[in-house]
CSV table of all heavy atoms in Angstrom, one decimal:
chain,number,residue,atom,x,y,z
A,106,MET,N,0.9,-1.1,-0.1
A,106,MET,CA,0.0,0.0,-0.1
A,106,MET,C,0.9,1.2,0.0
A,106,MET,O,0.4,2.3,-0.5
A,106,MET,CB,-0.9,0.1,1.2
A,106,MET,CG,-1.8,1.1,1.2
A,106,MET,SD,-3.2,0.8,2.2
A,106,MET,CE,-3.9,2.4,2.3
A,107,ALA,N,2.0,1.2,0.5
A,107,ALA,CA,2.9,2.4,0.5
A,107,ALA,C,3.3,3.0,-0.8
A,107,ALA,O,3.5,4.1,-0.9
A,107,ALA,CB,4.2,2.0,1.2
A,108,ASP,N,3.2,2.1,-1.9
A,108,ASP,CA,3.4,2.7,-3.2
A,108,ASP,C,2.2,3.4,-3.7
A,108,ASP,O,2.3,4.2,-4.6
A,108,ASP,CB,3.8,1.5,-4.2
A,108,ASP,CG,2.8,0.5,-4.3
A,108,ASP,OD1,2.0,0.4,-3.5
A,108,ASP,OD2,2.8,-0.1,-5.4
A,109,ARG,N,1.1,3.2,-3.2
A,109,ARG,CA,-0.2,3.7,-3.6
A,109,ARG,C,-0.7,4.9,-2.7
A,109,ARG,O,-1.3,5.7,-3.1
A,109,ARG,CB,-1.3,2.8,-3.8
A,109,ARG,CG,-1.0,1.6,-5.0
A,109,ARG,CD,-2.2,0.9,-5.2
A,109,ARG,NE,-1.8,0.0,-6.2
A,109,ARG,CZ,-2.7,-0.9,-6.8
A,109,ARG,NH1,-3.9,-0.9,-6.4
A,109,ARG,NH2,-2.3,-1.7,-7.7
A,110,ALA,N,-0.3,4.9,-1.4
A,110,ALA,CA,-0.6,5.9,-0.4
A,110,ALA,C,0.5,6.1,0.5
A,110,ALA,O,0.4,5.7,1.7
A,110,ALA,CB,-1.8,5.2,0.3
A,111,PRO,N,1.6,6.7,0.0
A,111,PRO,CA,2.7,6.9,0.9
A,111,PRO,C,2.3,8.0,2.0
A,111,PRO,O,1.6,8.9,1.6
A,111,PRO,CB,3.7,7.5,-0.1
A,111,PRO,CG,3.1,7.9,-1.2
A,111,PRO,CD,1.8,7.2,-1.4
A,112,PHE,N,2.8,7.9,3.1
A,112,PHE,CA,2.6,8.8,4.1
A,112,PHE,C,3.4,10.1,3.8
A,112,PHE,O,2.9,11.2,4.1
A,112,PHE,CB,3.1,8.3,5.5
A,112,PHE,CG,2.2,7.4,6.2
A,112,PHE,CD1,2.9,6.2,6.7
A,112,PHE,CD2,0.8,7.4,6.2
A,112,PHE,CE1,2.0,5.3,7.3
A,112,PHE,CE2,0.0,6.4,6.6
A,112,PHE,CZ,0.6,5.4,7.3
A,113,ASP,N,4.6,10.0,3.2
A,113,ASP,CA,5.3,11.2,2.8
A,113,ASP,C,5.5,11.1,1.3
A,113,ASP,O,6.3,10.4,0.6
A,113,ASP,CB,6.7,11.1,3.4
A,113,ASP,CG,7.5,12.3,3.0
A,113,ASP,OD1,7.2,13.1,2.2
A,113,ASP,OD2,8.7,12.5,3.7
A,114,ALA,N,4.5,11.7,0.6
A,114,ALA,CA,4.4,11.7,-0.9
A,114,ALA,C,5.6,12.4,-1.6
A,114,ALA,O,6.0,12.1,-2.7
A,114,ALA,CB,3.1,12.4,-1.4
A,115,ASN,N,6.2,13.3,-0.9
A,115,ASN,CA,7.4,14.1,-1.4
A,115,ASN,C,8.6,13.1,-1.5
A,115,ASN,O,9.7,13.6,-2.3
A,115,ASN,CB,7.6,15.2,-0.7
A,115,ASN,CG,6.4,16.3,-0.9
A,115,ASN,OD1,6.0,16.4,-1.9
A,115,ASN,ND2,6.0,17.0,0.2
A,116,ASP,N,8.7,12.2,-0.6
A,116,ASP,CA,9.9,11.3,-0.4
A,116,ASP,C,9.5,9.9,-0.6
A,116,ASP,O,9.3,9.3,0.6
A,116,ASP,CB,10.7,11.7,0.7
A,116,ASP,CG,12.0,11.0,0.7
A,116,ASP,OD1,12.4,10.2,-0.1
A,116,ASP,OD2,12.7,11.2,1.8
A,117,PRO,N,9.3,9.3,-1.7
A,117,PRO,CA,8.8,7.9,-1.6
A,117,PRO,C,9.7,6.9,-1.0
A,117,PRO,O,9.2,5.8,-0.5
A,117,PRO,CB,8.6,7.6,-3.1
A,117,PRO,CG,8.9,8.8,-3.9
A,117,PRO,CD,9.4,9.9,-2.9
A,118,LYS,N,10.9,7.2,-0.8
A,118,LYS,CA,11.9,6.2,-0.2
A,118,LYS,C,12.0,6.6,1.3
A,118,LYS,O,12.9,6.0,2.0
A,118,LYS,CB,13.2,6.3,-0.8
A,118,LYS,CG,13.2,5.8,-2.4
A,118,LYS,CD,14.5,5.6,-2.8
A,118,LYS,CE,14.5,5.1,-4.3
A,118,LYS,NZ,15.7,5.0,-4.9
A,119,ALA,N,11.2,7.4,1.8
A,119,ALA,CA,11.3,7.9,3.4
A,119,ALA,C,10.9,6.6,4.2
A,119,ALA,O,10.2,5.8,3.8
A,119,ALA,CB,10.4,8.9,3.6
A,120,ASP,N,11.6,6.6,5.3
A,120,ASP,CA,11.4,5.4,6.2
A,120,ASP,C,9.9,5.3,6.6
A,120,ASP,O,9.4,4.1,6.6
A,120,ASP,CB,12.1,5.6,7.5
A,120,ASP,CG,13.7,5.3,7.3
A,120,ASP,OD1,14.1,4.9,6.2
A,120,ASP,OD2,14.4,5.8,8.2
A,121,ILE,N,9.2,6.4,6.7
A,121,ILE,CA,7.8,6.3,7.1
A,121,ILE,C,6.9,5.6,6.1
A,121,ILE,O,5.8,5.1,6.4
A,121,ILE,CB,7.3,7.7,7.4
A,121,ILE,CG1,5.8,7.7,8.3
A,121,ILE,CG2,7.1,8.5,6.1
A,121,ILE,CD1,5.4,8.9,8.8
A,122,ASN,N,7.4,5.5,4.8
A,122,ASN,CA,6.7,4.8,3.7
A,122,ASN,C,6.9,3.3,3.8
A,122,ASN,O,6.2,2.6,3.0
A,122,ASN,CB,7.0,5.5,2.5
A,122,ASN,CG,6.5,6.9,2.2
A,122,ASN,OD1,5.4,7.2,3.0
A,122,ASN,ND2,7.2,7.7,1.5
A,123,ARG,N,7.8,2.8,4.5
A,123,ARG,CA,8.1,1.3,4.6
A,123,ARG,C,7.2,0.7,5.5
A,123,ARG,O,7.3,0.8,6.7
A,123,ARG,CB,9.5,1.1,5.1
A,123,ARG,CG,10.6,1.8,4.0
A,123,ARG,CD,11.9,1.4,4.6
A,123,ARG,NE,12.9,2.0,3.7
A,123,ARG,CZ,14.2,2.3,4.0
A,123,ARG,NH1,14.6,2.0,5.2
A,123,ARG,NH2,15.0,3.0,3.3
A,124,ARG,N,6.3,0.0,4.9
A,124,ARG,CA,5.3,-0.7,5.8
A,124,ARG,C,4.6,-1.9,4.9
A,124,ARG,O,4.6,-1.8,3.8
A,124,ARG,CB,4.3,0.2,6.5
A,124,ARG,CG,3.3,0.8,5.4
A,124,ARG,CD,2.5,2.0,6.0
A,124,ARG,NE,1.5,2.4,5.0
A,124,ARG,CZ,1.6,3.4,4.2
A,124,ARG,NH1,2.9,3.9,4.0
A,124,ARG,NH2,0.7,3.8,3.5
A,125,ILE,N,4.2,-2.8,5.8
A,125,ILE,CA,3.4,-3.8,5.1
A,125,ILE,C,1.9,-3.7,5.8
A,125,ILE,O,2.0,-3.6,7.1
A,125,ILE,CB,3.9,-5.2,5.5
A,125,ILE,CG1,5.2,-5.4,4.8
A,125,ILE,CG2,2.9,-6.3,5.1
A,125,ILE,CD1,6.0,-6.6,5.2
A,126,GLU,N,0.9,-3.6,5.1
A,126,GLU,CA,-0.4,-3.5,5.7
A,126,GLU,C,-1.3,-4.6,5.2
A,126,GLU,O,-1.3,-5.0,4.1
A,126,GLU,CB,-1.1,-2.2,5.3
A,126,GLU,CG,-0.4,-1.0,5.8
A,126,GLU,CD,-0.9,0.3,5.5
A,126,GLU,OE1,-2.1,0.4,5.3
A,126,GLU,OE2,-0.1,1.3,5.4
A,127,LEU,N,-2.0,-5.1,6.1
A,127,LEU,CA,-3.0,-6.2,5.8
A,127,LEU,C,-4.2,-5.7,6.4
A,127,LEU,O,-4.4,-5.5,7.6
A,127,LEU,CB,-2.6,-7.5,6.5
A,127,LEU,CG,-3.5,-8.7,6.3
A,127,LEU,CD1,-3.6,-9.1,4.9
A,127,LEU,CD2,-3.0,-10.0,7.1
A,128,LEU,N,-5.3,-5.6,5.6
A,128,LEU,CA,-6.6,-5.1,6.0
A,128,LEU,C,-7.6,-6.2,5.6
A,128,LEU,O,-8.0,-6.5,4.6
A,128,LEU,CB,-7.0,-3.8,5.2
A,128,LEU,CG,-8.2,-3.1,5.6
A,128,LEU,CD1,-8.2,-2.6,7.1
A,128,LEU,CD2,-8.4,-1.9,4.8
A,129,ILE,N,-8.1,-6.7,6.8
A,129,ILE,CA,-9.2,-7.6,6.6
A,129,ILE,C,-10.5,-7.1,7.2
A,129,ILE,O,-10.6,-6.7,8.3
A,129,ILE,CB,-8.9,-9.0,7.4
A,129,ILE,CG1,-7.6,-9.5,6.9
A,129,ILE,CG2,-9.9,-10.0,7.3
A,129,ILE,CD1,-7.0,-10.6,7.7
A,130,LEU,N,-11.5,-7.1,6.3
A,130,LEU,CA,-12.7,-6.4,6.7
A,130,LEU,C,-13.9,-7.3,6.7
A,130,LEU,O,-14.0,-8.3,5.9
A,130,LEU,CB,-13.0,-5.3,5.6
A,130,LEU,CG,-12.0,-4.1,5.6
A,130,LEU,CD1,-12.4,-3.3,4.3
A,130,LEU,CD2,-11.9,-3.4,6.9
A,131,THR,N,-14.8,-7.2,7.6
A,131,THR,CA,-16.1,-7.7,7.5
A,131,THR,C,-16.9,-7.0,6.4
A,131,THR,O,-16.6,-5.9,6.1
A,131,THR,CB,-17.0,-7.7,8.8
A,131,THR,OG1,-17.2,-6.4,9.1
A,131,THR,CG2,-16.1,-8.5,10.0
A,132,SER,N,-18.1,-7.6,6.0
A,132,SER,CA,-18.9,-6.9,4.9
A,132,SER,C,-19.4,-5.5,5.5
A,132,SER,O,-19.4,-4.5,4.8
A,132,SER,CB,-20.0,-7.8,4.6
A,132,SER,OG,-19.6,-8.9,3.9
A,133,GLU,N,-19.6,-5.5,6.8
A,133,GLU,CA,-20.2,-4.3,7.4
A,133,GLU,C,-19.1,-3.2,7.5
A,133,GLU,O,-19.3,-2.0,7.0
A,133,GLU,CB,-20.6,-4.6,8.9
A,133,GLU,CG,-21.2,-3.3,9.5
A,133,GLU,CD,-21.6,-3.5,11.0
A,133,GLU,OE1,-21.6,-4.7,11.4
A,133,GLU,OE2,-21.9,-2.6,11.6
A,134,HIS,N,-17.9,-3.6,7.8
A,134,HIS,CA,-16.8,-2.6,7.8
A,134,HIS,C,-16.4,-2.1,6.4
A,134,HIS,O,-16.2,-1.0,6.1
A,134,HIS,CB,-15.5,-3.2,8.5
A,134,HIS,CG,-15.7,-3.3,9.8
A,134,HIS,ND1,-15.6,-4.5,10.6
A,134,HIS,CD2,-15.9,-2.4,11.0
A,134,HIS,CE1,-15.7,-4.4,11.8
A,134,HIS,NE2,-16.0,-3.1,12.1
A,135,ALA,N,-16.5,-3.1,5.4
A,135,ALA,CA,-16.2,-2.7,4.0
A,135,ALA,C,-17.3,-1.7,3.7
A,135,ALA,O,-17.0,-0.7,2.9
A,135,ALA,CB,-16.1,-3.9,3.2
A,136,GLY,N,-18.5,-1.8,4.0
A,136,GLY,CA,-19.6,-0.9,3.6
A,136,GLY,C,-19.4,0.4,4.2
A,136,GLY,O,-19.6,1.5,3.6
A,137,ASN,N,-18.9,0.5,5.5
A,137,ASN,CA,-18.7,1.8,6.2
A,137,ASN,C,-17.6,2.4,5.5
A,137,ASN,O,-17.7,3.6,5.3
A,137,ASN,CB,-18.3,1.5,7.7
A,137,ASN,CG,-19.5,1.0,8.4
A,137,ASN,OD1,-20.6,1.2,8.0
A,137,ASN,ND2,-19.2,0.3,9.6
A,138,ILE,N,-16.5,1.8,5.2
A,138,ILE,CA,-15.4,2.4,4.4
A,138,ILE,C,-15.9,3.0,3.1
A,138,ILE,O,-15.5,4.1,2.7
A,138,ILE,CB,-14.1,1.6,4.3
A,138,ILE,CG1,-13.6,1.3,5.7
A,138,ILE,CG2,-13.1,2.1,3.4
A,138,ILE,CD1,-12.4,0.3,5.9
A,139,ALA,N,-16.6,2.2,2.3
A,139,ALA,CA,-17.2,2.6,1.0
A,139,ALA,C,-18.0,3.8,1.2
A,139,ALA,O,-17.9,4.7,0.4
A,139,ALA,CB,-17.9,1.6,0.4
A,140,ALA,N,-18.8,3.9,2.3
A,140,ALA,CA,-19.6,5.0,2.5
A,140,ALA,C,-18.8,6.3,2.8
A,140,ALA,O,-19.2,7.4,2.4
A,140,ALA,CB,-20.5,4.7,3.6
A,141,MET,N,-17.7,6.2,3.5
A,141,MET,CA,-16.9,7.3,3.8
A,141,MET,C,-16.0,7.8,2.7
A,141,MET,O,-15.9,9.0,2.4
A,141,MET,CB,-15.9,7.0,5.0
A,141,MET,CG,-16.5,6.8,6.2
A,141,MET,SD,-15.3,6.6,7.8
A,141,MET,CE,-14.4,5.2,7.2
A,142,LEU,N,-15.3,6.9,1.9
A,142,LEU,CA,-14.5,7.3,0.9
A,142,LEU,C,-15.0,7.0,-0.5
A,142,LEU,O,-14.3,7.5,-1.5
A,142,LEU,CB,-13.3,6.3,1.0
A,142,LEU,CG,-12.5,6.4,2.3
A,142,LEU,CD1,-11.3,5.5,2.4
A,142,LEU,CD2,-12.0,7.9,2.5
A,143,GLY,N,-16.2,6.5,-0.6
A,143,GLY,CA,-16.7,6.3,-2.1
A,143,GLY,C,-16.3,4.8,-2.5
A,143,GLY,O,-15.3,4.2,-2.1
A,144,VAL,N,-17.1,4.4,-3.4
A,144,VAL,CA,-16.8,3.1,-4.1
A,144,VAL,C,-15.8,3.3,-5.1
A,144,VAL,O,-15.9,4.2,-5.9
A,144,VAL,CB,-18.1,2.5,-4.5
A,144,VAL,CG1,-17.9,1.3,-5.2
A,144,VAL,CG2,-19.1,2.4,-3.4
A,145,PRO,N,-14.8,2.3,-5.3
A,145,PRO,CA,-13.9,2.5,-6.3
A,145,PRO,C,-14.4,2.4,-7.8
A,145,PRO,O,-15.3,1.5,-7.9
A,145,PRO,CB,-12.8,1.4,-6.0
A,145,PRO,CG,-13.6,0.4,-5.1
A,145,PRO,CD,-14.5,1.2,-4.4
A,146,GLY,N,-13.9,3.1,-8.6
A,146,GLY,CA,-14.3,2.9,-10.0
A,146,GLY,C,-14.0,1.7,-10.8
A,146,GLY,O,-14.8,1.1,-11.5
A,147,ALA,N,-12.9,1.2,-10.4
A,147,ALA,CA,-12.4,-0.1,-11.1
A,147,ALA,C,-11.7,-1.1,-10.1
A,147,ALA,O,-11.1,-0.6,-9.3
A,147,ALA,CB,-11.3,0.3,-12.3
A,148,VAL,N,-12.1,-2.3,-10.3
A,148,VAL,CA,-11.5,-3.4,-9.4
A,148,VAL,C,-10.7,-4.2,-10.1
A,148,VAL,O,-11.1,-4.7,-11.2
A,148,VAL,CB,-12.8,-4.2,-8.7
A,148,VAL,CG1,-12.3,-5.1,-7.8
A,148,VAL,CG2,-13.5,-3.1,-7.8
A,149,THR,N,-9.6,-4.7,-9.6
A,149,THR,CA,-8.8,-5.6,-10.4
A,149,THR,C,-8.7,-6.8,-9.5
A,149,THR,O,-8.2,-6.8,-8.4
A,149,THR,CB,-7.3,-5.0,-10.3
A,149,THR,OG1,-7.3,-3.6,-11.0
A,149,THR,CG2,-6.3,-5.9,-11.2
A,150,PRO,N,-9.2,-8.0,-10.1
A,150,PRO,CA,-9.1,-9.3,-9.4
A,150,PRO,C,-7.7,-9.7,-9.2
A,150,PRO,O,-6.8,-9.7,-10.1
A,150,PRO,CB,-9.8,-10.2,-10.3
A,150,PRO,CG,-10.4,-9.4,-11.4
A,150,PRO,CD,-9.8,-8.1,-11.5
A,151,LEU,N,-7.4,-10.1,-7.9
A,151,LEU,CA,-5.9,-10.6,-7.7
A,151,LEU,C,-6.1,-12.1,-7.8
A,151,LEU,O,-5.3,-12.7,-8.4
A,151,LEU,CB,-5.6,-10.4,-6.1
A,151,LEU,CG,-5.4,-8.7,-6.1
A,151,LEU,CD1,-5.2,-8.6,-4.5
A,151,LEU,CD2,-4.2,-8.2,-6.8
A,152,LEU,N,-7.1,-12.7,-7.2
A,152,LEU,CA,-7.3,-14.2,-7.2
A,152,LEU,C,-8.9,-14.2,-7.3
A,152,LEU,O,-9.5,-13.3,-6.9
A,152,LEU,CB,-6.8,-14.9,-6.0
A,152,LEU,CG,-5.3,-14.8,-5.7
A,152,LEU,CD1,-5.1,-15.2,-4.3
A,152,LEU,CD2,-4.5,-15.6,-6.7
A,153,PRO,N,-9.5,-15.4,-7.6
A,153,PRO,CA,-10.9,-15.6,-7.5
A,153,PRO,C,-11.3,-15.2,-6.2
A,153,PRO,O,-10.9,-15.8,-5.1
A,153,PRO,CB,-11.1,-17.0,-7.9
A,153,PRO,CG,-9.8,-17.5,-8.6
A,153,PRO,CD,-8.7,-16.7,-8.1
A,154,GLY,N,-12.3,-14.2,-6.1
A,154,GLY,CA,-12.8,-13.8,-4.8
A,154,GLY,C,-12.1,-12.8,-4.0
A,154,GLY,O,-12.5,-12.4,-3.1
A,155,VAL,N,-10.9,-12.3,-4.6
A,155,VAL,CA,-10.1,-11.4,-3.9
A,155,VAL,C,-9.9,-10.3,-4.9
A,155,VAL,O,-9.3,-10.4,-6.0
A,155,VAL,CB,-8.5,-11.9,-3.4
A,155,VAL,CG1,-7.8,-10.9,-2.9
A,155,VAL,CG2,-8.8,-13.2,-2.7
A,156,ASP,N,-10.4,-9.1,-4.5
A,156,ASP,CA,-10.2,-7.8,-5.3
A,156,ASP,C,-9.4,-6.9,-4.8
A,156,ASP,O,-9.0,-6.7,-3.5
A,156,ASP,CB,-11.6,-7.2,-5.5
A,156,ASP,CG,-12.5,-8.2,-6.2
A,156,ASP,OD1,-12.0,-9.0,-7.0
A,156,ASP,OD2,-13.8,-8.1,-6.0
A,157,SER,N,-8.7,-5.9,-5.7
A,157,SER,CA,-7.9,-4.8,-5.2
A,157,SER,C,-8.4,-3.7,-6.1
A,157,SER,O,-8.8,-3.9,-7.3
A,157,SER,CB,-6.4,-5.2,-5.6
A,157,SER,OG,-5.7,-4.0,-5.3
A,158,ALA,N,-8.4,-2.5,-5.5
A,158,ALA,CA,-8.7,-1.3,-6.3
A,158,ALA,C,-7.8,-0.1,-5.9
A,158,ALA,O,-7.3,0.0,-4.7
A,158,ALA,CB,-10.1,-0.9,-5.9
A,159,VAL,N,-7.5,0.7,-6.8
A,159,VAL,CA,-6.7,1.9,-6.6
A,159,VAL,C,-7.8,3.1,-6.2
A,159,VAL,O,-8.7,3.3,-6.8
A,159,VAL,CB,-6.1,2.5,-7.9
A,159,VAL,CG1,-5.4,3.7,-7.7
A,159,VAL,CG2,-5.2,1.4,-8.4
A,160,PRO,N,-7.5,3.6,-5.0
A,160,PRO,CA,-8.4,4.6,-4.5
A,160,PRO,C,-8.3,5.9,-5.1
A,160,PRO,O,-7.3,6.2,-5.9
A,160,PRO,CB,-7.9,4.8,-3.0
A,160,PRO,CG,-6.5,4.3,-2.9
A,160,PRO,CD,-6.4,3.2,-4.0
A,161,GLU,N,-9.3,6.7,-5.2
A,161,GLU,CA,-9.3,8.0,-5.8
A,161,GLU,C,-8.3,9.0,-5.1
A,161,GLU,O,-8.0,8.9,-3.9
A,161,GLU,CB,-10.7,8.6,-5.7
A,161,GLU,CG,-11.7,7.9,-6.4
A,161,GLU,CD,-13.2,8.5,-6.3
A,161,GLU,OE1,-13.2,9.5,-5.7
A,161,GLU,OE2,-14.1,7.9,-6.7
A,162,ARG,N,-7.7,9.9,-6.0
A,162,ARG,CA,-6.7,10.8,-5.5
A,162,ARG,C,-7.2,11.6,-4.4
A,162,ARG,O,-6.5,11.9,-3.3
A,162,ARG,CB,-6.2,11.6,-6.6
A,162,ARG,CG,-5.1,12.6,-6.2
A,162,ARG,CD,-4.3,13.1,-7.4
A,162,ARG,NE,-3.6,12.2,-8.2
A,162,ARG,CZ,-2.5,11.6,-7.8
A,162,ARG,NH1,-1.9,11.9,-6.7
A,162,ARG,NH2,-1.9,10.8,-8.7
A,163,ASN,N,-8.5,12.2,-4.4
A,163,ASN,CA,-9.0,13.0,-3.3
A,163,ASN,C,-9.1,12.3,-2.1
A,163,ASN,O,-8.8,12.8,-1.0
A,163,ASN,CB,-10.3,13.6,-3.8
A,163,ASN,CG,-10.3,14.6,-4.9
A,163,ASN,OD1,-9.1,15.0,-5.2
A,163,ASN,ND2,-11.4,14.9,-5.4
A,164,ALA,N,-9.4,11.0,-2.1
A,164,ALA,CA,-9.6,10.2,-0.9
A,164,ALA,C,-8.1,10.0,-0.3
A,164,ALA,O,-7.9,10.1,1.0
A,164,ALA,CB,-10.2,8.8,-1.1
A,165,LEU,N,-7.1,9.8,-1.1
A,165,LEU,CA,-5.8,9.6,-0.6
A,165,LEU,C,-5.2,10.9,0.0
A,165,LEU,O,-4.5,10.8,1.0
A,165,LEU,CB,-4.8,9.1,-1.8
A,165,LEU,CG,-4.9,7.8,-2.2
A,165,LEU,CD1,-4.0,7.5,-3.5
A,165,LEU,CD2,-4.7,6.8,-1.1
A,166,THR,N,-5.5,12.0,-0.6
A,166,THR,CA,-5.1,13.3,-0.1
A,166,THR,C,-5.7,13.5,1.3
A,166,THR,O,-5.0,13.9,2.2
A,166,THR,CB,-5.5,14.4,-1.1
A,166,THR,OG1,-4.8,14.1,-2.3
A,166,THR,CG2,-4.9,15.8,-0.5
A,167,ALA,N,-7.0,13.2,1.4
A,167,ALA,CA,-7.6,13.5,2.7
A,167,ALA,C,-7.2,12.4,3.7
A,167,ALA,O,-6.9,12.9,4.9
A,167,ALA,CB,-9.1,13.2,2.5
A,168,MET,N,-6.9,11.3,3.3
A,168,MET,CA,-6.2,10.3,4.3
A,168,MET,C,-4.8,10.9,4.9
A,168,MET,O,-4.5,10.7,5.9
A,168,MET,CB,-6.0,9.0,3.7
A,168,MET,CG,-5.6,7.9,4.8
A,168,MET,SD,-5.5,6.2,4.0
A,168,MET,CE,-6.0,6.2,2.4
A,169,ARG,N,-4.0,11.3,3.8
A,169,ARG,CA,-2.7,11.7,4.2
A,169,ARG,C,-2.7,13.0,5.2
A,169,ARG,O,-2.0,12.9,6.1
A,169,ARG,CB,-1.9,12.1,2.9
A,169,ARG,CG,-1.4,11.0,2.2
A,169,ARG,CD,-0.6,11.6,1.1
A,169,ARG,NE,-0.2,10.5,0.2
A,169,ARG,CZ,-0.6,10.4,-1.1
A,169,ARG,NH1,-1.3,11.3,-1.7
A,169,ARG,NH2,-0.2,9.3,-1.9
A,170,GLU,N,-3.6,13.8,5.0
A,170,GLU,CA,-3.8,14.9,5.9
A,170,GLU,C,-4.3,14.6,7.2
A,170,GLU,O,-3.8,15.0,8.2
A,170,GLU,CB,-4.8,16.0,5.3
A,170,GLU,CG,-4.3,16.6,3.9
A,170,GLU,CD,-2.9,17.4,4.1
A,170,GLU,OE1,-2.8,18.0,5.1
A,170,GLU,OE2,-2.1,17.2,3.3
A,171,THR,N,-5.1,13.6,7.2
A,171,THR,CA,-5.6,13.1,8.5
A,171,THR,C,-4.5,12.3,9.3
A,171,THR,O,-4.4,12.6,10.5
A,171,THR,CB,-6.8,12.1,8.4
A,171,THR,OG1,-7.9,12.9,7.7
A,171,THR,CG2,-7.3,11.6,9.7
A,172,LEU,N,-3.7,11.6,8.6
A,172,LEU,CA,-2.7,10.9,9.2
A,172,LEU,C,-1.5,11.7,9.7
A,172,LEU,O,-0.9,11.5,10.8
A,172,LEU,CB,-2.0,9.8,8.4
A,172,LEU,CG,-3.1,8.6,8.0
A,172,LEU,CD1,-2.6,7.8,6.9
A,172,LEU,CD2,-3.2,7.9,9.2
A,173,LYS,N,-1.3,12.9,9.0
A,173,LYS,CA,-0.3,13.9,9.5
A,173,LYS,C,-0.6,14.3,10.9
A,173,LYS,O,0.4,14.6,11.7
A,173,LYS,CB,-0.3,15.1,8.5
A,173,LYS,CG,0.4,14.8,7.3
A,173,LYS,CD,0.4,16.0,6.4
A,173,LYS,CE,1.1,15.6,5.0
A,173,LYS,NZ,1.1,16.8,4.1
A,174,LYS,N,-1.8,14.4,11.3
A,174,LYS,CA,-2.2,14.9,12.7
A,174,LYS,C,-1.7,13.9,13.7
A,174,LYS,O,-1.5,14.3,14.9
A,174,LYS,CB,-3.7,14.9,12.7
A,174,LYS,CG,-4.3,16.0,11.9
A,174,LYS,CD,-5.8,16.0,11.9
A,174,LYS,CE,-6.4,16.9,10.9
A,174,LYS,NZ,-7.8,16.8,10.8
A,175,PHE,N,-1.4,12.7,13.4
A,175,PHE,CA,-1.0,11.6,14.3
A,175,PHE,C,0.5,11.5,14.4
A,175,PHE,O,1.1,10.6,15.2
A,175,PHE,CB,-1.6,10.3,14.1
A,175,PHE,CG,-3.2,10.3,14.1
A,175,PHE,CD1,-4.0,10.5,13.0
A,175,PHE,CD2,-3.8,10.4,15.3
A,175,PHE,CE1,-5.3,10.5,13.1
A,175,PHE,CE2,-5.2,10.5,15.4
A,175,PHE,CZ,-5.9,10.6,14.3
A,176,ARG,N,1.3,12.1,13.7
A,176,ARG,CA,2.7,12.1,13.8
A,176,ARG,C,3.2,12.7,14.9
A,176,ARG,O,3.0,13.6,15.4
A,176,ARG,CB,3.3,12.7,12.5
A,176,ARG,CG,3.1,12.0,11.2
A,176,ARG,CD,4.0,12.5,10.1
A,176,ARG,NE,3.6,11.8,8.9
A,176,ARG,CZ,4.1,12.2,7.8
A,176,ARG,NH1,4.8,13.3,7.7
A,176,ARG,NH2,3.9,11.5,6.7
């Protein structure tokens, strides 16, 4: 995820961008996130039954700004 949503967009190789993230959601949680950030426009199947999507740029920008408050 760090390559798609780096915490420090100005320095992609910054230590803060090195992370492994695993997000496992229930259907309810997935619905809540979709309601907050919107539904992705395109979904790329990784494996049968497993999807991945690139979030919208505005959602990423808002997430970065929110995360900066916790540094």
Side-chain angles (χ1 to χ4, degrees):
M106 182 159 173
D108 63 331
R109 295 188 180 186
F112 288 137
D113 185 348
N115 295 322
D116 185 4
K118 294 185 179 184
D120 290 344
I121 195 167
N122 291 330
R123 295 182 191 159
R124 64 190 189 274
I125 297 172
E126 296 184 25
L127 178 62
L128 183 61
I129 301 173
L130 301 172
T131 64
S132 296
E133 181 181 355
H134 287 119
N137 290 338
I138 290 174
M141 287 188 305
L142 301 177
V144 178
V148 175
T149 305
L151 296 173
L152 299 169
V155 179
D156 296 329
S157 173
V159 178
E161 296 178 8
R162 181 164 299 281
N163 291 344
L165 285 176
T166 301
M168 184 181 357
R169 284 187 189 114
E170 294 303 315
T171 300
L172 291 171
K173 285 180 184 178
K174 298 174 187 175
F175 298 101
R176 286 190 186 171

